[in-house]
Amino acid sequence: MRIIKPLWLKHGGEKKDFEVYSCHVSADGERLVTAAGDGYIRIWSTEAIYNAADPSYTKPRQLAALNHHSGTIHTVRFSGSNKYLASGADDKIVCVYSLDPNPPTHAAFGSNEPVPVENWRIYRRLIGHENDVQDLGWSYDSSILVSVGLDSRVVVWSGYTFEKLKTLSNHQSHVKGITFDPANKHFATSSDDRTIKIYRYTPPQPNSTAYDMTNNFVLDKSVSAPFTTSPLTTYFRRCSWSPDGTHIAAANAVNGPVSTCAIIERGTWNSEISLIGHEGPLEVCAFCPRIFGLTPDDDGMDDGSSITVIACAGQDRGLSIWNTVNTKPLVVTEALALKAISDIAWSPDGERLFLTSLDGAITLVHFQRGELGYPCSTAVNETQLAKYGGGRKVGLPEGPDALRFEEMSKNDELKNVQGRMGELMGDGHGPPKQDTTQVNGTQPNGVPKPSAKDSSALTNGHTESAETARSSTPQPAQQAPDPKIEKLKQRVTVTKDGRKRVAPLLVSSSAGNTESSLPSSQLMVQKSQTDRNEAPHHVLDFSKPYDVLPKGGVPALVMGQKRKFAETGEEGDDSIKRRIDSAQRQGAAPGLINTPDGLDIARGEQVQQLTNSQTRIALPQRRLHIQSLANRTEGQADETHVFEVKNPSGPSRTGRAADREPARIAVSKRGQMLWQDYTPHLITITTGNSRFWAAACDDGSILIWTPAGRRLFPGMILDSPVSILDSRGPYLLAVASSGTCYVWNTATSTALHPPVSLSTVMISVFAAEGPHLTPAPALMFARLTSSGSIVLAMSNGEAYTWSAPMQVWQRISESWWAVGSQYWNTSDSSAGSAGGVTVTNTNGDPEIGDLVRIENIAAGVIPLIERNTTSQVLLRGKAYHLSRLIKTLLNTEGFEGFEASISIAHLENRLAAALSLGARDEFKLYLSMYAKRLGAEGSKLKVEELLRSLLAGVFEDAEMRSGTDEDTDSRGSTLVDSSNHYLGGPKSHICGWKKETLLKEVVLTLGKYRDLQRITVSYARILGITDEMPPVVDEDTEADGAAHQSKNSNARNEDAVMS
């Protein structure tokens, strides 16, 4: 063994060498990359390092120096394909570089570095972390890149397009290490929360998106036993996976008071082996990539005598080398560096070891042949990994039709999402730029690397060609240049030596009339309604309690006064209080009633009577002057009609209090009165639209007028005064203060349903609060949809609608979804995008007048009530505790699929709510999201049920309904089932959409998932989609396709001979 420290192998500074934090060797063994505190990534020739002692060696030593980070670089890693180089730093950015075959022309501007030998260019800048990036890892097939950092996040990037596929937030503290399973089935992360978490994944396809990876990258196991008392002083926790896939080596473990390296066994994930030999905590462990044999001819395959070698180093500045056949280390060195060792990298041949330390040293440890053992061929690695599924190809297409259908589905999805990220970046507000930078995305044609002529780096999104951008994005008029800026650009100054020069103009000075290219969250709602973000996302942060109080402070939040408890004659004065506490411990929420002696517990029927009797809704404040506006003609402001009410004021003219003046009602247009009316009752609330006017009086009556001023009905008397009055089209909603809801159709003079009480909803809300001391539930608002459905929003965040066909209240939103679903979004643009367009109802007629406003469209109701849920959950502080519960369950055994199940249930609830409310646009949006999620989950039963229910009613052919058609599903049953009544039953339309249109979109969405092609291809044939598909040949299945075609050709020839 030789230790080599070339003097020139360093990151030199003016006064001292910079700390070196990371190193790695390329897959071909020709390059060593190092990263240090000077912000540079230096690529060295390993051949020059091996020949450092040879004075006759004159080839270049440093191949390139890259400086694209604004801070200290913590990690660098070559990809297994030797195509990319990735780096992470404390500027929160991950940079990906590629080697340009064209030779470099000059060094970086303003740099003292020599001209580079190799032309490494930045390829992507990946933005996804909120704190320092500590470590990186490539999968062995380079299909994914994983970055970890001090923000406790594990971010998964596509290795093809570098789009962010998923963000994992299972760790509770800084994540400082990442390693991949060589069998390409798992990866493990190490964190300061004293755990190692093992995630299971399936390698993504080159065109996979975040939709496809929804159910991928699942937490498989969390190991905490070896780290219960591990110190938190290490800068890294770099772990490693053995080349045979059997063990994980974890740094910074402890065995009692001793710092060790824990060996975790695959499958059981137990850590019964510890490598003890260091005096301080370990920073890094690294398995040698080669498997060794005991003799030169030993391949380790016959008797299982294969040997794996591991190197460990850390804060004690020592290096230890271990193997699997000895209980003691092979090598132990002390004081190999002046400061802690930060990283270790093996050469591909397994005979050389590079290590870096915080004193700026880069050291090579060269082992002689046979010291560690005799390297086996790489076939031994493949054989050892085969038992864990390494090297297997999964997800083969079902046939040529399935392959063409899959390609058609991918092209259709690519066409829909093309340019979406460009709009979010602000590219849609001006002409396309030729030299823009893109982060976290791909080009729309799916090519992972731009051509050599196109030198644009990619920043945050999907770029699109100039022709596509010009055709898809309206081009605004070019703004005239600001004359002040033009003068600044041409300003001439005189230097000290008398020379004239043009003063440079700062970039910030000339950016007054330009838009920033950085991502802006304000662009979300301003985009067209066709570009909706349907990906799962988390936008709510419940990690801290919500401490904002409503107006009025604590007294406004906690209402009511404490009263003493009734004396029951039992021992002690707190017997009732003790009984209440006992009931609360059992999960009950006892109601209290007033008695002459104080508060007592409600028993038996008193509970329901208590809820019914206390259902009271506040009345509007009495006002002397009330105004309501309504447009008679859409888009014409001068057609606004004003409905004005003037209640009497002052003393009675007769001296009797009962003889008050009547209330005056007047309707005017452009200041000119159209008609007026009088009523002897005080008017408390009004509403109106293009069809009628309505006013509620203090005696519980409602008066309705036509637009011309004719009284449409006699006064309608309710059981109590009206608290809420709302109108949509011909429908009128009245909510009495007693909690009774009425809905009438003024066009047909009928009620949509009998009066319904809110007491059922109040009981449900009261029971949901549990044993906690909270204010009584309150009604936040009540609205009508364009179809006449009632929508209620409660103070606890829940929302309800009355289903007239089922005669029951349905809960359409609750706080559970806000913290558990991946699809909860407070900035849903689906309603906002409808504000500037004409909405078409189920009959195909455009809705005009009051129906075009956002709050009047059924498609905007669901986002509206979900925003109310978010605000109410935050206000009452429930989100903080629910979020803690969800995070605890995600790390609990038996709840592995918890988040996925909650997300699917939320989508199903949205879909059912949109169908119940008749929300046409929302129904189609949520159906698309639901289909994509089912495809990502691979839920065959739900996919089959969804397709069967959409197909019911599309074809009225009796032959198909009788089951004589040749197309059957995966279970052999007929595709069309007339007895299936899901999603509207056997009708040709559902929620205003043709079922055939929706079915085609769903089938195309599911077409790219190969696991579901046995189901989807049959439906594609029925719908005629396969007839429109162009012939496509997959490289991986070309041979199988040729064999299939040959077989079909032979079969056709045999049929011809038989004929």
PDB file of all heavy atoms in Angstrom, residues 1038-1054:
ATOM      1  N   GLU A1038     -38.360  -4.400 -30.264  1.00  0.00           N
ATOM      2  CA  GLU A1038     -38.380  -4.557 -31.714  1.00  0.00           C
ATOM      3  C   GLU A1038     -38.354  -6.027 -32.107  1.00  0.00           C
ATOM      4  O   GLU A1038     -39.064  -6.465 -33.000  1.00  0.00           O
ATOM      5  CB  GLU A1038     -37.193  -3.818 -32.321  1.00  0.00           C
ATOM      6  CG  GLU A1038     -37.201  -3.812 -33.844  1.00  0.00           C
ATOM      7  CD  GLU A1038     -36.083  -2.938 -34.401  1.00  0.00           C
ATOM      8  OE1 GLU A1038     -35.314  -2.411 -33.596  1.00  0.00           O
ATOM      9  OE2 GLU A1038     -36.006  -2.817 -35.620  1.00  0.00           O
ATOM     10  N   ALA A1039     -37.510  -6.790 -31.404  1.00  0.00           N
ATOM     11  CA  ALA A1039     -37.419  -8.206 -31.727  1.00  0.00           C
ATOM     12  C   ALA A1039     -38.729  -8.915 -31.423  1.00  0.00           C
ATOM     13  O   ALA A1039     -39.207  -9.735 -32.221  1.00  0.00           O
ATOM     14  CB  ALA A1039     -36.275  -8.842 -30.946  1.00  0.00           C
ATOM     15  N   ASP A1040     -39.335  -8.588 -30.261  1.00  0.00           N
ATOM     16  CA  ASP A1040     -40.611  -9.209 -29.919  1.00  0.00           C
ATOM     17  C   ASP A1040     -41.693  -8.823 -30.923  1.00  0.00           C
ATOM     18  O   ASP A1040     -42.520  -9.646 -31.318  1.00  0.00           O
ATOM     19  CB  ASP A1040     -41.045  -8.778 -28.509  1.00  0.00           C
ATOM     20  CG  ASP A1040     -40.070  -9.297 -27.463  1.00  0.00           C
ATOM     21  OD1 ASP A1040     -39.357 -10.259 -27.777  1.00  0.00           O
ATOM     22  OD2 ASP A1040     -40.062  -8.718 -26.359  1.00  0.00           O
ATOM     23  N   GLY A1041     -41.670  -7.550 -31.371  1.00  0.00           N
ATOM     24  CA  GLY A1041     -42.669  -7.126 -32.341  1.00  0.00           C
ATOM     25  C   GLY A1041     -42.496  -7.829 -33.672  1.00  0.00           C
ATOM     26  O   GLY A1041     -43.458  -8.213 -34.328  1.00  0.00           O
ATOM     27  N   ALA A1042     -41.241  -8.018 -34.107  1.00  0.00           N
ATOM     28  CA  ALA A1042     -40.995  -8.714 -35.362  1.00  0.00           C
ATOM     29  C   ALA A1042     -41.466 -10.156 -35.279  1.00  0.00           C
ATOM     30  O   ALA A1042     -42.069 -10.686 -36.214  1.00  0.00           O
ATOM     31  CB  ALA A1042     -39.509  -8.647 -35.706  1.00  0.00           C
ATOM     32  N   ALA A1043     -41.190 -10.790 -34.142  1.00  0.00           N
ATOM     33  CA  ALA A1043     -41.641 -12.169 -33.980  1.00  0.00           C
ATOM     34  C   ALA A1043     -43.157 -12.243 -33.989  1.00  0.00           C
ATOM     35  O   ALA A1043     -43.753 -13.154 -34.573  1.00  0.00           O
ATOM     36  CB  ALA A1043     -41.076 -12.749 -32.680  1.00  0.00           C
ATOM     37  N   HIS A1044     -43.805 -11.252 -33.358  1.00  0.00           N
ATOM     38  CA  HIS A1044     -45.264 -11.240 -33.323  1.00  0.00           C
ATOM     39  C   HIS A1044     -45.844 -11.067 -34.725  1.00  0.00           C
ATOM     40  O   HIS A1044     -46.794 -11.744 -35.109  1.00  0.00           O
ATOM     41  CB  HIS A1044     -45.731 -10.110 -32.410  1.00  0.00           C
ATOM     42  CG  HIS A1044     -47.220 -10.072 -32.231  1.00  0.00           C
ATOM     43  ND1 HIS A1044     -47.877 -10.928 -31.380  1.00  0.00           N
ATOM     44  CD2 HIS A1044     -48.167  -9.279 -32.796  1.00  0.00           C
ATOM     45  CE1 HIS A1044     -49.173 -10.681 -31.422  1.00  0.00           C
ATOM     46  NE2 HIS A1044     -49.364  -9.670 -32.278  1.00  0.00           N
ATOM     47  N   GLN A1045     -45.234 -10.146 -35.514  1.00  0.00           N
ATOM     48  CA  GLN A1045     -45.713  -9.943 -36.866  1.00  0.00           C
ATOM     49  C   GLN A1045     -45.503 -11.182 -37.719  1.00  0.00           C
ATOM     50  O   GLN A1045     -46.333 -11.545 -38.546  1.00  0.00           O
ATOM     51  CB  GLN A1045     -45.010  -8.740 -37.485  1.00  0.00           C
ATOM     52  CG  GLN A1045     -45.382  -7.412 -36.809  1.00  0.00           C
ATOM     53  CD  GLN A1045     -44.579  -6.264 -37.358  1.00  0.00           C
ATOM     54  OE1 GLN A1045     -43.764  -6.459 -38.255  1.00  0.00           O
ATOM     55  NE2 GLN A1045     -44.820  -5.078 -36.820  1.00  0.00           N
ATOM     56  N   SER A1046     -44.343 -11.853 -37.524  1.00  0.00           N
ATOM     57  CA  SER A1046     -44.066 -13.067 -38.292  1.00  0.00           C
ATOM     58  C   SER A1046     -45.085 -14.150 -37.973  1.00  0.00           C
ATOM     59  O   SER A1046     -45.579 -14.860 -38.849  1.00  0.00           O
ATOM     60  CB  SER A1046     -42.635 -13.556 -37.988  1.00  0.00           C
ATOM     61  OG  SER A1046     -42.383 -14.768 -38.639  1.00  0.00           O
ATOM     62  N   LYS A1047     -45.417 -14.245 -36.678  1.00  0.00           N
ATOM     63  CA  LYS A1047     -46.398 -15.243 -36.262  1.00  0.00           C
ATOM     64  C   LYS A1047     -47.764 -14.958 -36.883  1.00  0.00           C
ATOM     65  O   LYS A1047     -48.451 -15.853 -37.383  1.00  0.00           O
ATOM     66  CB  LYS A1047     -46.495 -15.254 -34.734  1.00  0.00           C
ATOM     67  CG  LYS A1047     -47.461 -16.288 -34.199  1.00  0.00           C
ATOM     68  CD  LYS A1047     -47.445 -16.262 -32.687  1.00  0.00           C
ATOM     69  CE  LYS A1047     -48.428 -17.270 -32.124  1.00  0.00           C
ATOM     70  NZ  LYS A1047     -48.425 -17.248 -30.646  1.00  0.00           N
ATOM     71  N   ASN A1048     -48.165 -13.673 -36.895  1.00  0.00           N
ATOM     72  CA  ASN A1048     -49.440 -13.320 -37.496  1.00  0.00           C
ATOM     73  C   ASN A1048     -49.436 -13.582 -39.000  1.00  0.00           C
ATOM     74  O   ASN A1048     -50.430 -14.016 -39.582  1.00  0.00           O
ATOM     75  CB  ASN A1048     -49.754 -11.847 -37.238  1.00  0.00           C
ATOM     76  CG  ASN A1048     -50.069 -11.589 -35.772  1.00  0.00           C
ATOM     77  OD1 ASN A1048     -50.366 -12.519 -35.039  1.00  0.00           O
ATOM     78  ND2 ASN A1048     -49.980 -10.333 -35.354  1.00  0.00           N
ATOM     79  N   SER A1049     -48.289 -13.305 -39.645  1.00  0.00           N
ATOM     80  CA  SER A1049     -48.186 -13.546 -41.083  1.00  0.00           C
ATOM     81  C   SER A1049     -48.323 -15.020 -41.400  1.00  0.00           C
ATOM     82  O   SER A1049     -49.021 -15.416 -42.335  1.00  0.00           O
ATOM     83  CB  SER A1049     -46.851 -12.997 -41.592  1.00  0.00           C
ATOM     84  OG  SER A1049     -46.702 -13.271 -42.961  1.00  0.00           O
ATOM     85  N   ASN A1050     -47.663 -15.871 -40.593  1.00  0.00           N
ATOM     86  CA  ASN A1050     -47.770 -17.313 -40.804  1.00  0.00           C
ATOM     87  C   ASN A1050     -49.204 -17.776 -40.601  1.00  0.00           C
ATOM     88  O   ASN A1050     -49.711 -18.625 -41.338  1.00  0.00           O
ATOM     89  CB  ASN A1050     -46.835 -18.053 -39.862  1.00  0.00           C
ATOM     90  CG  ASN A1050     -45.371 -17.763 -40.161  1.00  0.00           C
ATOM     91  OD1 ASN A1050     -45.033 -17.390 -41.297  1.00  0.00           O
ATOM     92  ND2 ASN A1050     -44.514 -17.907 -39.160  1.00  0.00           N
ATOM     93  N   ALA A1051     -49.852 -17.202 -39.589  1.00  0.00           N
ATOM     94  CA  ALA A1051     -51.246 -17.593 -39.338  1.00  0.00           C
ATOM     95  C   ALA A1051     -52.144 -17.210 -40.510  1.00  0.00           C
ATOM     96  O   ALA A1051     -53.032 -17.970 -40.907  1.00  0.00           O
ATOM     97  CB  ALA A1051     -51.741 -16.956 -38.048  1.00  0.00           C
ATOM     98  N   ARG A1052     -51.906 -16.016 -41.087  1.00  0.00           N
ATOM     99  CA  ARG A1052     -52.723 -15.613 -42.238  1.00  0.00           C
ATOM    100  C   ARG A1052     -52.485 -16.520 -43.439  1.00  0.00           C
ATOM    101  O   ARG A1052     -53.410 -16.854 -44.177  1.00  0.00           O
ATOM    102  CB  ARG A1052     -52.418 -14.150 -42.590  1.00  0.00           C
ATOM    103  CG  ARG A1052     -53.004 -13.135 -41.615  1.00  0.00           C
ATOM    104  CD  ARG A1052     -52.948 -11.736 -42.175  1.00  0.00           C
ATOM    105  NE  ARG A1052     -51.572 -11.297 -42.393  1.00  0.00           N
ATOM    106  CZ  ARG A1052     -50.863 -10.644 -41.496  1.00  0.00           C
ATOM    107  NH1 ARG A1052     -51.400 -10.338 -40.324  1.00  0.00           N
ATOM    108  NH2 ARG A1052     -49.637 -10.263 -41.749  1.00  0.00           N
ATOM    109  N   ASN A1053     -51.213 -16.947 -43.642  1.00  0.00           N
ATOM    110  CA  ASN A1053     -50.921 -17.855 -44.750  1.00  0.00           C
ATOM    111  C   ASN A1053     -51.622 -19.195 -44.575  1.00  0.00           C
ATOM    112  O   ASN A1053     -52.144 -19.782 -45.520  1.00  0.00           O
ATOM    113  CB  ASN A1053     -49.405 -18.055 -44.867  1.00  0.00           C
ATOM    114  CG  ASN A1053     -48.698 -16.782 -45.288  1.00  0.00           C
ATOM    115  OD1 ASN A1053     -49.325 -15.908 -45.903  1.00  0.00           O
ATOM    116  ND2 ASN A1053     -47.406 -16.677 -44.970  1.00  0.00           N
ATOM    117  N   GLU A1054     -51.616 -19.694 -43.315  1.00  0.00           N
ATOM    118  CA  GLU A1054     -52.292 -20.952 -43.058  1.00  0.00           C
ATOM    119  C   GLU A1054     -53.794 -20.839 -43.318  1.00  0.00           C
ATOM    120  O   GLU A1054     -54.424 -21.738 -43.868  1.00  0.00           O
ATOM    121  CB  GLU A1054     -52.029 -21.397 -41.623  1.00  0.00           C
ATOM    122  CG  GLU A1054     -50.570 -21.776 -41.378  1.00  0.00           C
ATOM    123  CD  GLU A1054     -50.333 -22.132 -39.923  1.00  0.00           C
ATOM    124  OE1 GLU A1054     -51.322 -22.102 -39.158  1.00  0.00           O
ATOM    125  OE2 GLU A1054     -49.198 -22.434 -39.565  1.00  0.00           O
TER     126      GLU A1054
END
